[in-house]
Amino acid sequence: MRNDSMSRKHTRREFIGTSVKTAVCIGVASKFIRSGKNIFADDLKSRVVIAMNPRAINNRNQCDVAETNKLFDDALYSLTGKNTAVDAWGALGLNAKDIVAVKVNCNSWTIDLSPHKALIDALCFSMGAVIPLNNIIVYERTSGDLEEGGFKQNTSNAGVRCFGADEGGGFDPTQRLTRILTDTCTKIVNLASLKCVEGDMAASIFFKNHIGSLLQEDMPKCHSDQDFMAEVSSRPAIKNKTILNLCDGLRGTYKRGVPWYWKGIVMSKDAVAGEAAAIGVMNEKRKVESEKPLDLPESLLIADKKYKLGNSDPKRIDVVQLNL
Amino acid sequence: MKNNLYHRFDFRCLAVVLFSIYIIWNSSAYCQSSVSTDIVHNNTLLREITIKTALNPPEGFKLRVLPRFYGTPDARLEEGTIFNYINGAGENYIKHGFNFVGNILLENSTGDRITIDIFDLSSIENAQDAFEDKNICAPGSSPLDLGIRLEAKVYSYPPDYMLYFVENRFLVQISLDNDAFKDTAQVLSAQIIKLINEK
């Protein structure tokens, strides 16, 4: 009896102690999750899917819709380890009430490297399994940039919305980002193009894509300040809301000003790992063309080491190659 | 018949009047600004060449937007600076004495586009240096004789087609998103060379 009583007392103490420890652990974990920090960054590799489909695009920059859909879907399933769009997006954290901002980079000056509409349609169609299409906002720096990239503006209550940050309700004074990111959306998909710029920056992919999310007077800082470039993606709205980074390499460049139909995409939750892998794709082509390989830009290393935005070390990147 | 002629005449007159007002308004605006007289002169010349080119588009094409003009951070024009137009790539032109760029965007009924960029690089030497800069004119071009001092450079990346040439202090870049119109690029080049040499 006495023993039982002591045992009960002891158990109660143990129970309280365990409860406190558990609460502390949950509190710490939720703090990390809320702040968007990858709590597994030091233990697990970042997965990057490199997927290619030679039937997705021809050599006149025209996409095959069905093959582009297949390219996107297979990459998404491979990234998440799921078999349906609902499950895959669920694994990435997309909920039925979310509003998703898709940042695209329209590059129509001289060579057309704007994102392919077929790929955006594949992305939106897939997300449409979870959220209404009108909850998706495709945006760029300005509505004019979108129109020059071949996209029609849509601010209506039907279909995927499409407009520029210049019509996005202004800019958040603290984060100095478009209010599309800070106020309107709850999740972000970073859809960049595979673009080689050489020099210190090496490439214009996920990090440079967010130049178009900035206040206009801050944009020039990205051209010379590598720390600034990395820091932009550490701002809460971008860091906490981004659920997917997708690089359109159906047509990209492997050296400055020289296009190439790579016919693939790069996809990752980790923008740093995704960009490092995309530069690796360029370097494979550069090797074939006897060009000097591109070094990883300093901004990527800063994003990894200083801002803890992901993994730049190849040893900590798990690359999954899909050849359709 | 009479009505048709009347409408055509009316349209041309209206277009000329509107563009004249546009040129005068812009010139006067910059005369009042703090930029030097020399730059005002250069700027006006670039505007004249750009607007006259825009006024005479190739058959089947029309202006998608009014011609746009971009300056330097120290001498912004109405659309801003070169960085507002081509982002970081603007540095390459700044290195070669960039003053202003005039941009024309033409489009036909099927959505094919021709982009013309006329860069004023301050001097003949600067323009020629820029033409040899691989960050502006990437290796891999084919030469094309346009009857000017330096052969033009042609880039064919289907469906894109680009023709770059230098005349006087101007570097001209004509970019097509459909190479079926490459002959049109040559016609436009001849037209722009003539306009530059008239001045």
Side-chain angles (χ1 to χ4, degrees):
Chain A
M1 188 72 174
R2 182 183 158 85
N3 282 348
D4 283 348
S5 175
M6 278 177 70
S7 171
R8 263 204 310 277
K9 224 174 182 177
H10 183 68
T11 304
R12 205 174 290 129
R13 193 178 297 137
E14 270 184 355
F15 173 75
I16 292 166
T18 308
S19 301
V20 169
K21 282 177 194 166
T22 306
V24 168
C25 287
I26 291 171
V28 169
S30 66
K31 189 182 171 190
F32 276 121
I33 291 165
R34 273 200 304 275
S35 72
K37 183 169 179 174
N38 181 1
I39 57 173
F40 306 112
D42 293 330
D43 307 321
L44 295 180
K45 290 182 174 183
S46 297
R47 177 173 288 189
V48 177
V49 176
I50 295 178
M52 293 173 72
N53 182 355
R55 296 173 302 282
I57 191 167
N58 67 14
N59 288 339
R60 300 282 303 170
N61 208 20
Q62 295 158 329
C63 288
D64 180 297
V65 171
E67 295 291 344
T68 307
N69 281 338
K70 182 170 169 49
L71 174 68
F72 177 83
D73 288 344
D74 285 7
L76 182 71
Y77 300 156
S78 181
L79 179 72
T80 56
K82 305 292 180 186
N83 296 318
T84 66
V86 172
D87 289 346
W89 286 109
L92 293 172
L94 185 67
N95 301 309
K97 289 184 178 173
D98 275 325
I99 296 173
V100 181
V102 180
K103 173 66 181 71
V104 295
N105 188 6
C106 292
N107 294 276
S108 52
W109 188 63
T110 64
I111 300 161
D112 186 10
L113 288 179
S114 292
H116 293 84
K117 195 169 178 303
L119 182 62
I120 296 180
D121 286 349
L123 166 72
C124 294
F125 184 75
S126 179
M127 283 196 287
V130 180
I131 57 172
L133 290 180
N134 203 235
N135 281 15
I136 302 171
I137 302 167
V138 174
Y139 81 98
E140 227 306 26
R141 185 184 63 144
T142 67
S143 294
D145 288 346
L146 281 166
E147 285 191 17
E148 287 184 19
F151 298 93
K152 279 189 181 162
Q153 190 172 345
N154 179 22
T155 53
S156 76
N157 294 325
V160 174
R161 284 180 277 170
C162 183
F163 51 85
D166 56 338
E167 297 181 51
F171 290 81
D172 178 83
T174 310
Q175 296 190 53
R176 299 177 71 81
L177 295 170
T178 169
R179 287 192 190 277
I180 296 171
L181 295 185
T182 58
D183 298 11
T184 311
C185 83
T186 53
K187 297 285 184 333
I188 298 168
V189 172
N190 185 340
L191 202 173
S193 302
L194 188 70
K195 185 179 176 186
C196 177
V197 295
E198 299 183 337
D200 295 342
M201 294 291 181
S204 171
I205 309 179
F206 299 123
F207 286 86
K208 237 181 163 188
N209 192 17
H210 274 303
I211 291 180
S213 304
L214 291 169
L215 270 170
Q216 186 150 319
E217 60 259 39
D218 289 350
M219 291 179 187
K221 293 180 194 171
C222 292
H223 302 146
S224 53
D225 188 336
Q226 303 257 5
D227 189 287
F228 180 82
M229 174 81 85
E231 180 272 326
V232 170
S233 291
S234 75
R235 295 180 191 178
I238 296 176
K239 184 175 177 181
N240 298 344
K241 294 180 182 178
T242 303
I243 57 171
L244 185 69
N245 300 284
L246 169 63
C247 177
D248 179 349
L250 292 166
R251 189 193 201 203
T253 51
Y254 67 94
K255 66 178 188 177
R256 190 183 189 93
V258 181
W260 139 72
Y261 291 100
W262 176 54
K263 307 187 178 188
I265 57 176
V266 178
M267 189 186 274
S268 182
K269 279 194 77 169
D270 178 341
V272 180
E275 185 150 330
I279 290 172
V281 167
M282 289 176 185
N283 279 339
E284 281 181 24
K285 174 67 173 169
R286 288 174 72 91
K287 191 176 177 185
V288 171
E289 301 293 334
S290 304
E291 293 284 334
K292 193 180 155 209
L294 300 165
D295 292 327
L296 287 188
E298 195 188 344
S299 58
L300 220 52
L301 305 176
I302 295 170
D304 176 354
K305 307 292 179 204
K306 181 174 176 184
Y307 296 107
K308 312 289 182 200
L309 297 178
N311 293 324
S312 62
D313 181 355
K315 289 177 193 158
R316 290 165 65 198
I317 301 173
D318 174 24
V319 175
V320 179
Q321 184 89 38
L322 284 183
N323 292 305
L324 306 181
Chain B
M1 183 68 175
K2 204 172 179 180
N3 271 347
N4 282 345
L5 280 173
Y6 174 75
H7 282 302
R8 200 178 301 161
F9 174 76
D10 192 32
F11 174 77
R12 285 185 178 175
C13 275
L14 186 64
V16 169
V17 168
L18 284 175
F19 271 108
S20 302
I21 292 169
Y22 184 68
I23 293 169
I24 292 163
W25 180 79
N26 280 303
S27 301
S28 61
Y30 286 96
C31 286
Q32 288 163 13
S33 73
S34 58
V35 295
S36 73
T37 313
D38 186 40
I39 290 174
V40 170
H41 171 73
N42 293 346
N43 180 10
T44 306
L45 179 55
L46 176 79
R47 281 170 192 279
E48 266 191 68
I49 294 164
T50 305
I51 289 168
K52 282 185 177 174
T53 304
L55 268 172
N56 194 15
E59 195 180 339
F61 284 84
K62 60 181 182 180
L63 280 178
R64 194 169 184 278
V65 289
L66 281 174
R68 293 173 288 194
F69 297 92
Y70 302 88
T72 62
D74 296 330
R76 298 168 67 90
L77 297 187
E78 52 269 55
E79 271 83 27
T81 75
I82 188 169
F83 298 110
N84 296 115
Y85 180 39
I86 55 176
N87 296 323
E91 291 287 358
N92 297 316
Y93 295 85
I94 296 276
K95 277 195 300 193
H96 295 290
F98 170 80
N99 266 339
F100 311 102
V101 58
N103 162 258
I104 302 165
L105 181 56
L106 303 166
E107 191 175 61
N108 68 8
S109 58
T110 53
D112 301 308
R113 290 182 187 176
I114 299 174
T115 306
I116 305 167
D117 292 303
I118 305 173
F119 292 89
D120 181 339
L121 297 172
S122 316
S123 72
I124 294 171
E125 293 74 24
N126 283 343
Q128 289 179 359
D129 286 348
F131 196 56
E132 298 306 322
D133 185 338
K134 70 177 177 63
N135 289 322
I136 292 176
C137 298
S141 63
S142 305
L144 178 71
D145 187 2
L146 291 176
I148 50 179
R149 208 172 72 78
L150 292 177
E151 283 181 320
K153 293 179 179 177
V154 167
Y155 298 89
S156 181
Y157 299 123
D160 298 324
Y161 177 90
M162 292 165 292
L163 195 165
Y164 295 0
F165 68 88
V166 165
E167 183 67 344
N168 203 297
R169 65 171 188 266
F170 300 100
L171 169 65
V172 181
Q173 301 184 189
I174 301 176
S175 310
L176 282 62
D177 66 1
N178 184 350
D179 48 14
F181 295 99
K182 59 185 176 188
D183 292 344
T184 305
Q186 288 190 43
V187 172
L188 280 165
S189 303
Q191 191 180 319
I192 296 167
I193 290 166
K194 192 177 168 202
L195 281 170
I196 292 171
N197 290 327
E198 275 175 6
K199 300 291 163 187

